[in-house]
Amino acid sequence: MSLILLLSFLFFFGHYGSASPTVQTLDIKPQYFNPKLPPKSLSSSKKFEGSSDLVNLRYHMGPVLSSPINIYLIWYGKWSPSQQLLIKDFLLSISTVNHRAAPSPSVAEWWSTVSLYTDQTGANISRSVLIASEYSDRLYSHGTHLTRLSIQEVIATAVRSKPFSVDHKNGIYLVLTSVDVTVQDFCRAVCGFHYFTFPSKVGYTLPYAWVGNSGKQCPEVCAYPFAVPGYMGGGGPGALSPPNADVGVDGMISVIGHELAELASNPLVNAWYAGEDPTAPAEIGDLCEGLYGSGGGGGYIGQVMRDREGRTYNVNGRRGRKFLVQWIWSPVLKACAGPNALD
């Protein structure tokens, strides 16, 4: 399912003329704060704020990723080593199988909500996630503008190269486009999406996701809440300070988390989703888009943390990393959930 975020005029109502984010006054720990940013009243987001039995998230009998998950990373375009390391540190923080867990609240604990989803045999989504291989397409083999179909051709190019393998059982393919690559509907309607490849394009049916770096194209859309439109009362990019000082890539991290959670729970678009139309489902990330902590909703992103430098985060990762990642819908709580919850 595409991650549909803030569209044109998204931030206008309730924020025009404000000089800076406001902070909700709550009796909370000093390191926590709950910033109020421009509301998403005109977004086509399927976010459901709070909890309810009315959210009709159902299982449609398809597979989930219950076997250990192998991520095949495709770097399309020019990426700096520091950007690649940041994204890989997030991905490698999901699983604690091969290394020590990060301090709580952690990325691995965030994924534990995803792992609550099961298939028809009762098998849970795997908590074992690793990077199996990487492929760098630095020469833009399919140009600097991609369509949804040409993204599948990027995957085909990668899987035809050795030793980048075709992994039918455990593999998912994650295509990440650099800041200078434009993609069909990017910024206008999507920040990322997941689907599966067509045998006619790739030769195989493989679950995949795409996420783009919005840093120079539309950070106010796809790197929210680290950027808001500059014309809205001087808020400008950097309304909240990103945890790793890279607005574009820090913004990508939450989109990557969103798409991986939905790819794991709905890899062939016939497993977990709400709504009657499988071509436009509301999935487990869509229901919580824009929520990062307790008390979220109504323009508040929820109670998150700030470090000594004022950088905003809600989960810890490997090697001392910090990330801001949106919450996921819990099938147990019937509510959006995350490891930094205060209630």
Side-chain angles (χ1 to χ4, degrees):
M1 170 62 188
S2 302
L3 174 58
I4 301 180
L5 295 177
L6 319 173
L7 304 179
S8 59
F9 304 112
L10 177 65
F11 298 101
F12 187 80
F13 292 100
H15 187 67
Y16 188 81
S18 174
S20 62
T22 59
V23 177
Q24 189 175 31
T25 303
L26 295 172
D27 184 16
I28 57 178
K29 296 179 180 180
Q31 71 269 30
Y32 284 88
F33 77 128
N34 190 357
K36 184 172 185 180
L37 295 177
K40 301 180 178 183
S41 57
L42 296 187
S43 172
S44 56
S45 166
K46 299 179 178 68
K47 177 181 66 176
F48 188 89
E49 296 173 352
S51 62
S52 176
D53 292 328
L54 298 177
V55 174
N56 189 26
L57 183 72
R58 294 190 297 114
Y59 177 55
H60 296 79
M61 305 306 290
V64 302
L65 300 183
S66 57
S67 298
I69 300 169
N70 295 334
I71 297 177
Y72 293 85
L73 266 174
I74 301 173
W75 304 99
Y76 192 85
K78 293 181 174 63
W79 291 87
S80 71
S82 62
Q83 290 176 323
Q84 291 177 316
L85 184 59
L86 174 55
I87 290 172
K88 288 192 289 186
D89 276 343
F90 171 71
L91 295 173
L92 293 172
S93 297
I94 292 173
S95 176
T96 59
V97 172
N98 297 319
H99 57 84
R100 188 171 60 185
S104 184
S106 69
V107 176
E109 291 171 335
W110 170 83
W111 187 259
S112 68
T113 298
V114 180
S115 71
L116 293 173
Y117 289 88
T118 62
D119 64 15
Q120 58 186 305
T121 71
N124 292 81
I125 291 174
S126 178
R127 297 188 69 171
S128 174
V129 180
L130 60 84
I131 297 173
S133 188
E134 300 176 61
Y135 176 81
S136 292
D137 194 334
R138 299 182 185 89
L139 299 180
Y140 307 87
S141 63
H142 296 274
T144 58
H145 176 74
L146 301 176
T147 65
R148 288 176 179 258
L149 283 180
S150 64
I151 286 174
Q152 295 200 22
E153 293 168 356
V154 170
I155 297 171
T157 298
V159 300
R160 290 180 190 129
S161 69
K162 296 180 179 179
F164 208 73
S165 64
V166 174
D167 188 344
H168 294 285
K169 183 178 180 182
N170 298 339
I172 62 174
Y173 294 77
L174 180 57
V175 181
L176 304 175
T177 51
S178 58
V179 71
D180 55 340
V181 176
T182 59
V183 175
Q184 177 185 1
D185 293 330
F186 187 31
C187 297
R188 184 186 67 82
V190 301
C191 300
F193 63 80
H194 76 88
Y195 206 61
F196 52 86
T197 61
F198 303 145
S200 61
K201 284 287 183 182
V202 182
Y204 310 92
T205 298
L206 303 170
Y208 76 93
W210 159 78
V211 178
N213 185 339
S214 68
K216 292 183 179 179
Q217 297 183 51
C218 59
E220 71 282 359
V221 175
C222 294
Y224 177 91
F226 304 127
V228 296
Y231 59 82
M232 288 301 174
L240 296 181
S241 182
N244 300 285
D246 189 321
V247 168
V249 177
D250 274 310
M252 287 183 75
I253 295 295
S254 189
V255 184
I256 290 170
H258 176 120
E259 297 302 335
L260 288 182
E262 295 183 344
L263 188 61
S265 59
N266 197 25
L268 300 181
V269 200
N270 61 357
W272 288 96
Y273 63 87
E276 300 304 320
D277 183 0
T279 66
E283 296 173 287
I284 67 172
D286 300 322
L287 294 169
C288 303
E289 180 195 326
L291 300 179
Y292 300 86
S294 300
Y300 292 96
I301 70 168
Q303 294 171 29
V304 294
M305 295 169 280
R306 280 186 294 199
D307 64 14
R308 292 180 179 178
E309 285 74 40
R311 295 173 296 193
T312 308
Y313 68 102
N314 65 351
V315 288
N316 296 294
R318 70 193 297 261
R319 302 191 318 114
R321 293 283 198 188
K322 300 180 187 303
F323 305 102
L324 186 70
V325 185
Q326 71 150 86
W327 279 14
I328 297 297
W329 187 265
S330 166
V332 175
L333 299 176
K334 297 189 186 313
C336 297
N340 59 312
L342 298 181
D343 47 19

